[in-house]
Amino acid sequence: MKKITSLLSIILVTCAMASAQVLCPTPTNVTVANITATSAAVAWDAMPGAMGYNVRWKPVTSMAWSAMWTTVNSAALNNLIPATQYEVQVQTICSSSNTTGTPSAWTNSLFFTTTSSSNNCLAPTNVTVANITANSAVVAWTAAPGAISYNVQYRPVGNPSWITINTTNTSVTLNGLPSMTQYELHVQSVCGTSSTNLSAWSPLLHFTTTGSTFLCNAPTGITIANITATSAVVAWSPVTGVISYNVRYRPVATMSWNVVNTTSTSVTLNNLFQQTAYDVQVQTVCSPSSNNNNVSAYSSSVTFQTSGSNTACPTPTGLTVSIITTNSALAAWNVVTGAISYNVRYKPVFAGTWIVVNSLTNSLALNGLFSMTQYMVQVQSVCLSSTNVTSVSPFSPSVYFTTLGTTTACLPPTGLTATNITSSSALMNWNSNGSPFYQVRYRASTSLNWSMVGSATNSVQLTGLSGVTVYEAQVRSICLSPSSNYLVFSAWSPSHFFSTPLSPPQFAQLRTDAGYTTLYINFNSEQGQGNAVVRIYDMKGALLRSENVSLTNGDNGFEISISGFTPGIYVAEVESSGNVERQKLFIGR
């Protein structure tokens, strides 16, 4: 109940910030003292006109904030994790004529680290993940001296909530995982019954569940239309054998996805934010399996921006970042006529939460940054109307910069190659260099636009490719900054080029006679004369029929006996020159 109340508090405050309100001063001189293994005291200057304050805090590796409300200028943070780095922010809530309260911007993050537990409880070492399947994985580690049990936390990357398992063993099996999903996990020792007898968490480890490619291809041809200030229509090409589709979307500056399931090939996204860039991806669901182990990979992202305008308060231009050091940088922009102040927001690229600071001038020093970390920064104008009501402009486009560092640089991978190339897919491989994560970008050699996929291993499957096309691909490392828990990028590797073959035969029609004794197959082939093999499988993958047929260029048709087949769902397959086309078949009575 506490977490729900805290979340509602944050949501209400965020909504209030979007409304036109009188300016409210951001707290100053925030300090953290009396730090123990599980608690800390936060204090700040009392602000004029304040009716109270919001305080929020979280481990730096987490994307989920804890929050509390207080009427005094201090707060006690309890139930913290020993030997863990935290960040904390404070916000003023000012009284207003309608008694709803006007929020200030959040303060810049202040960082502190809780002390170790009293009995020197050591974190587990040599944490590994093995036996990874579409919906399970085995986590193992080396026993820590004095540990009586262990806490294992895991979650899909981008999900703010952890799943926690306690075990007395040095390994645990994670079950019920969605397929083709990247996870992160860490392990903690429990050395006693007290909440202070806990170790620090082990470093984050990433892994990706496998996925079934049998009969389940990612959607292609994704388009965005009818874009308004608060809605848009997403459409895509139908996929053979589909039961439904998952559509996920999010503002590009956030980590958490919204997911919609539909049986149609289009969906309307509603309740979007105005003047906001969104990412959209679509996934095919090919069976009603309860553990989702027969779904495709998500498609590459398609980005669009909602409409909306605010001519009374223009967006700042000319944003630049200079004087970059290991932990600071200077952001500056052009003065906006009519602006009374500016909101600057910045964050590590892979962080889920923005740090927002209000500035009365057209520049701001960004302090407390992590070294060797890529950041993004945006700025918006704050304007005051003749009736003393504030409004804000849209945020400017992001400007990226990377803080300096003195340790070994993040190096790009070597040996990029493409294998298992078909007309619509290819497996990219490269030499592992120990990075926890990689990104691959690829495009048709005639295109200017890249598609991008990520991987926690040194390979990744590209899907949705076109036949008879030359593709260009590159890979880069994403490394863990030694001074923080955020990620930094290497340069892109040299390009690797590969060509896809002709598209496989395409089904034009698949039908049976009224008595379900004969299957009639019609399909189109671009391969000219040749041979093909027609097969029929049951849903367990058992081969029931196989026949060789002759192909001609263009339309082809033939029939195959299905007499004696029991009612149910089957799969018809045509294979020619290494290309395969499959389609589901229903046999009734």
Side-chain angles (χ1 to χ4, degrees):
M1 189 63 185
K2 259 185 201 176
K3 289 184 178 178
I4 296 173
T5 304
S6 299
L7 181 59
L8 287 174
S9 173
I10 293 173
I11 293 172
L12 289 172
V13 170
T14 304
C15 293
M17 289 180 69
S19 302
Q21 300 283 358
V22 178
L23 287 176
C24 187
T26 303
T28 56
N29 295 325
V30 182
T31 60
V32 181
N34 300 331
I35 300 170
T36 71
T38 59
S39 65
V42 185
W44 55 93
D45 291 342
M47 292 291 104
M51 60 185 289
Y53 305 90
N54 281 326
V55 182
R56 65 181 183 182
W57 67 98
K58 68 179 182 68
V60 294
T61 57
S62 172
M63 285 175 289
W65 292 93
S66 299
M68 66 181 296
W69 156 268
T70 177
T71 58
V72 297
N73 59 319
S74 63
L77 312 184
N78 295 306
N79 299 317
L80 305 182
I81 304 170
T84 300
Q85 187 183 30
Y86 278 83
E87 59 179 311
V88 61
Q89 298 174 359
V90 187
Q91 177 187 61
T92 308
I93 304 297
C94 296
S95 58
S96 65
S97 58
N98 61 10
T99 71
T100 59
T102 303
S104 73
W106 289 98
T107 62
N108 199 349
S109 287
L110 188 66
F111 297 88
F112 67 94
T113 301
T114 52
T115 60
S116 300
S117 55
S118 57
N119 65 345
N120 294 319
C121 191
L122 300 178
T125 57
N126 300 323
V127 182
T128 60
V129 182
N131 300 334
I132 301 171
T133 71
N135 54 20
S136 66
V138 176
V139 185
W141 56 90
T142 299
I148 61 174
S149 67
Y150 302 91
N151 291 326
V152 180
Q153 282 190 336
Y154 66 99
R155 65 183 177 186
V157 171
N159 191 317
S161 300
W162 291 98
I163 300 169
T164 303
I165 298 175
N166 180 264
T167 178
T168 56
N169 300 318
T170 56
S171 66
V172 67
T173 300
L174 311 182
N175 292 307
L177 309 180
S179 67
M180 303 183 75
T181 301
Q182 189 194 19
Y183 275 83
E184 58 184 353
L185 64 85
H186 52 192
V187 187
Q188 177 187 60
S189 301
V190 179
C191 298
T193 57
S194 170
S195 61
T196 62
N197 290 328
L198 302 173
S199 74
W201 289 101
S202 65
L204 283 174
L205 190 64
H206 294 82
F207 71 94
T208 302
T209 51
T210 61
S212 171
T213 57
F214 184 63
L215 295 175
C216 209
N217 298 317
T220 58
I222 299 170
T223 59
I224 313 293
N226 301 334
I227 301 172
T228 71
T230 58
S231 66
V233 176
V234 184
W236 54 91
S237 302
V239 178
T240 300
V242 68
I243 285 182
S244 64
Y245 302 92
N246 290 326
V247 181
R248 67 180 185 183
Y249 61 100
R250 64 179 180 185
V252 295
T254 65
M255 297 290 287
S256 299
W257 293 95
N258 300 297
V259 182
V260 178
N261 181 265
T262 179
T263 57
S264 176
T265 55
S266 66
V267 68
T268 300
L269 310 181
N270 294 306
N271 300 317
L272 306 180
F273 298 116
Q274 293 189 36
Q275 290 192 318
T276 301
Y278 278 85
D279 280 333
V280 177
Q281 299 176 352
V282 187
Q283 176 188 61
T284 307
V285 180
C286 295
S287 81
S289 173
S290 60
N291 59 14
N292 292 327
N293 64 355
N294 199 10
V295 297
S296 75
Y298 272 101
S299 66
S300 299
S301 289
V302 176
T303 303
F304 70 96
Q305 181 156 334
T306 51
S307 59
S309 63
N310 188 352
T311 57
C313 198
T315 302
T317 59
L319 176 61
T320 60
V321 179
S322 61
I323 315 179
I324 301 170
T325 71
T326 56
N327 57 11
S328 66
L330 178 66
W333 54 93
N334 296 329
V335 172
V336 174
T337 302
I340 61 171
S341 66
Y342 306 90
N343 288 327
V344 181
R345 66 180 185 182
Y346 61 99
K347 69 182 184 73
V349 169
F350 271 73
T353 303
W354 291 94
I355 300 167
V356 182
V357 181
N358 184 262
S359 174
L360 298 177
T361 66
N362 64 318
S363 65
L364 180 70
L366 312 179
N367 295 309
L369 308 181
F370 297 114
S371 67
M372 294 185 64
T373 301
Q374 187 183 38
Y375 279 83
M376 56 194 302
V377 60
Q378 301 173 353
V379 61
Q380 75 177 170
S381 304
V382 180
C383 303
L384 189 64
S385 72
S386 58
T387 57
N388 288 329
V389 175
T390 59
S391 63
V392 295
S393 74
F395 274 99
S396 67
S398 293
V399 171
Y400 296 84
F401 68 96
T402 301
T403 51
L404 304 180
T406 57
T407 57
T408 304
C410 187
L411 300 176
T414 59
L416 179 63
T417 59
T419 59
N420 299 341
I421 303 170
T422 72
S423 62
S424 60
S425 65
L427 179 64
M428 306 306 301
N429 306 273
W430 56 90
N431 297 326
S432 174
N433 61 7
S435 298
F437 199 71
Y438 303 91
Q439 281 183 330
V440 172
R441 66 179 184 180
Y442 62 98
R443 64 183 177 184
S445 60
T446 56
S447 174
L448 297 177
N449 299 318
W450 294 94
S451 297
M452 190 175 298
V453 293
S455 175
T457 66
N458 61 325
S459 66
V460 71
Q461 184 81 17
L462 306 185
T463 59
L465 306 182
S466 300
V468 198
T469 301
V470 177
Y471 279 88
E472 176 185 10
Q474 299 174 347
V475 62
R476 68 178 175 182
S477 305
I478 303 179
C479 308
L480 187 66
S481 171
S483 63
S484 70
N485 287 305
Y486 292 116
L487 303 173
V488 293
F489 299 90
S490 75
W492 289 104
S493 71
S495 293
H496 176 74
F497 295 87
F498 64 93
S499 299
T500 54
L502 283 167
S503 300
Q506 299 294 312
F507 279 115
Q509 189 179 40
L510 186 67
R511 61 184 179 86
T512 66
D513 62 349
Y516 295 101
T517 60
T518 303
L519 172 65
Y520 301 95
I521 300 178
N522 293 86
F523 61 89
N524 184 274
S525 174
E526 301 174 355
Q527 303 182 48
Q529 294 183 346
N531 297 316
V533 180
V534 179
R535 305 182 183 93
I536 299 180
Y537 299 88
D538 64 18
M539 290 305 293
K540 295 182 179 179
L543 179 63
L544 305 179
R545 294 282 192 276
S546 179
E547 290 192 13
N548 296 318
V549 297
S550 297
L551 292 178
T552 60
N553 192 48
D555 292 333
N556 291 262
F558 57 89
E559 58 188 57
I560 186 170
S561 173
I562 55 173
S563 178
F565 280 34
T566 58
I569 299 176
Y570 296 82
V571 176
E573 174 185 276
V574 177
E575 179 180 3
S576 177
S577 301
N579 293 316
V580 177
E581 172 71 7
R582 300 185 181 99
Q583 186 170 315
K584 285 186 178 178
L585 167 68
F586 175 74
I587 296 178
R589 286 291 184 269

